[in-house]
Amino acid sequence: MRTNIVIDEKLMNDALLATGLKTKKEVVELGLKTLVRLDRQKQIKELKGKLKWDGDLEAMRSNQ
């Protein structure tokens, strides 16, 4: 998808330096992927204590 947006120049330059990426497109795509990944992690964390698990953790650890 092609779109035009106004991005803070200092923020973009900082992001380019921080990531080592070469293009603005790469920086924007990484930022969007990171945002989506963080949201998914948040959703998974919200399941803590809500799922039932039957298993022997010690047995799983010893089967390396």
Side-chain angles (χ1 to χ4, degrees):
M1 171 191 330
R2 184 171 190 82
T3 188
N4 293 322
I5 56 174
V6 177
I7 299 175
D8 181 276
E9 187 174 340
K10 181 180 181 331
L11 179 60
M12 179 58 73
N13 288 332
D14 289 347
L16 286 163
L17 287 172
T19 62
L21 296 173
K22 295 181 182 181
T23 68
K24 294 175 184 179
K25 178 184 177 197
E26 290 174 319
V27 169
V28 170
E29 286 182 353
L30 177 61
L32 292 172
K33 288 176 185 177
T34 301
L35 181 63
V36 170
R37 187 179 74 244
L38 289 172
D39 183 62
R40 288 180 181 156
Q41 288 175 358
K42 178 183 168 195
Q43 292 175 17
I44 290 169
K45 287 179 183 178
E46 290 174 358
L47 295 174
K48 184 177 181 179
K50 297 179 182 177
L51 302 175
K52 182 171 172 34
W53 179 70
D54 291 318
D56 186 343
L57 188 55
E58 290 303 319
M60 290 176 68
R61 288 180 176 160
S62 65
N63 285 336
Q64 296 177 5

